[in-house]
């Protein structure tokens, strides 16, 4: 009887814990930042989103659309943007759209590959753009424009069109994903703070700091060198001794 009561109490307690965990998990999920549904019109008003999220915005043809996202050392970000164009009947000619990516110091970063600008015909319904940056480095010379950890800005706009098409409504989206390159592109040194235009209190905590996979290779090399030195010493010491009579 006591054993039955004990099992019944344990099951009831487990049920209470599971029922309480549901609202807590839901509350924790609500704290996660959501992708923005509008874009900024300048660097200062850029709408922030996280890698893996898809930011969207409704705008007018001719507007400058700005978003921002964080990137850490060892990552090779790829930025993709798309624009759903107005109905073909409302347009008067071809359009050229372009995305540019800037670092936290507002230096334009070159694209390794991807279609950074594209011209579409007057009857096209959509334009897709992409830009894959160079691998973000942990440290660089002051005069270099290497991509460094921090905030990156995406600017999307139309660069060529018929004047009669200015102001037509469009729907745009932007997203960023990264391939982890790691120690293959790591260099010695690190930034004191990520490159970002925000204050120190607004810095992200995603920066990996000083650790990279190069430390593993460095440690393994040191161990092998030490073992080789000990082995060589033992061999030469044994070979140099005269034979005892």
């Amino acid at each position: 009887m006591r054993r039955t009561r004990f099992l019944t109490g344990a099951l009831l307690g487990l049920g209470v814990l599971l029922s309480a965990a549901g609202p807590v998990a839901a509350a924790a999920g609500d704290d996660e930042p959501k992708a923005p549904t509008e874009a900024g019109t300048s660097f200062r008003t850029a709408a922030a989103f996280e890698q893996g999220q898809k930011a969207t915005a409704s705008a007018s043809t001719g507007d400058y659309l700005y978003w921002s996202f964080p990137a850490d050392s060892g990552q090779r970000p790829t930025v993709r943007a798309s624009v759903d164009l107005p109905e073909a009947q409302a347009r008067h000619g071809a359009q050229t759209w372009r995305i540019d990516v800037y670092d936290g110091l507002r230096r334009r970063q070159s694209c390794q590959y991807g279609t950074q600008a594209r011209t579409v015909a007057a009857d096209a319904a959509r334009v897709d753009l992409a830009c894959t940056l160079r691998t973000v480095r942990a440290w660089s010379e002051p005069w270099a424009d290497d991509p460094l950890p921090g905030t990156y800005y995406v600017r999307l706009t139309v660069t060529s069109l018929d004047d009669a098409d200015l102001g037509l409504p469009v729907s745009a989206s932007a997203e960023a994903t990264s391939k982890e390159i790691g120690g293959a592109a790591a260099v010695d040194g690190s930034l004191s703070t990520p490159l970002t235009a925000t204050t120190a209190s607004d810095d992200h905590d995603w920066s990996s700091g000083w650790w990279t996979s190069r430390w593993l290779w460095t440690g393994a090399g040191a161990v092998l060198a030490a073992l080789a030195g000990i082995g060589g010493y033992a061999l030469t010491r044994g070979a140099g001794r005269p034979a005892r009579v």
Side-chain angles (χ1 to χ4, degrees):
M1 180 65 69
R2 291 182 178 178
R3 181 177 298 178
T4 302
R5 290 179 179 177
F6 176 77
L7 291 175
T8 302
L11 291 175
L12 289 175
L14 180 61
V16 172
L17 290 176
L18 291 176
S19 61
V24 172
D30 293 340
D31 293 338
E32 296 180 358
K34 297 181 179 180
T37 56
E38 58 183 13
T41 56
S42 66
F43 287 104
R44 294 178 62 86
T45 60
F49 67 92
E50 299 295 329
Q51 291 196 39
Q53 292 182 328
K54 187 174 185 178
T56 58
S58 297
S60 299
T61 304
D63 289 345
Y64 283 89
L65 306 180
Y66 286 83
W67 293 277
S68 66
F69 68 94
D72 199 4
S73 59
Q75 295 182 341
R76 181 181 293 167
T78 295
V79 179
R80 294 181 176 87
S82 62
V83 183
D84 292 326
L85 301 172
E87 296 293 335
Q89 308 88 284
R91 304 207 304 269
H92 299 81
Q95 296 184 1
T96 301
W97 288 79
R98 178 184 177 92
I99 57 170
D100 292 291
V101 183
Y102 300 81
D103 63 14
L105 299 180
R106 301 179 186 178
R107 303 175 301 183
R108 190 174 70 84
Q109 293 293 316
S110 59
C111 301
Q112 276 194 318
Y113 48 85
T115 306
Q116 187 177 4
R118 174 170 287 174
T119 301
V120 294
D123 58 349
R126 179 187 176 96
V127 56
D128 295 305
L129 305 168
C131 173
T132 298
L133 302 177
R134 295 169 294 167
T135 303
V136 178
R137 298 161 58 91
W139 175 87
S140 178
E141 295 289 346
W143 46 261
D145 63 348
D146 297 320
L148 296 171
T151 300
Y152 283 78
Y153 296 92
V154 182
R155 183 177 72 182
L156 171 66
T157 190
V158 62
T159 59
S160 177
L161 79 166
D162 193 291
D163 291 342
D165 292 338
L166 284 172
L168 293 178
V170 294
S171 297
S173 65
E175 58 184 330
T177 56
S178 285
K179 180 179 180 180
E180 294 290 341
I181 305 300
V187 295
D188 296 331
S190 62
L191 292 180
S192 57
T193 57
L195 289 183
T196 175
T198 58
T199 61
S201 59
D202 296 331
D203 286 343
H204 296 272
D205 57 1
W206 39 259
S207 184
S208 61
W210 56 270
W211 172 258
T212 71
S213 58
R214 289 188 63 188
W215 286 99
L216 296 176
W217 294 102
T218 303
V223 171
L224 291 176
L227 292 176
I230 293 173
Y233 174 76
L235 290 175
T236 56
R237 182 183 180 187
R241 286 184 175 182
R244 291 186 177 180
V245 179

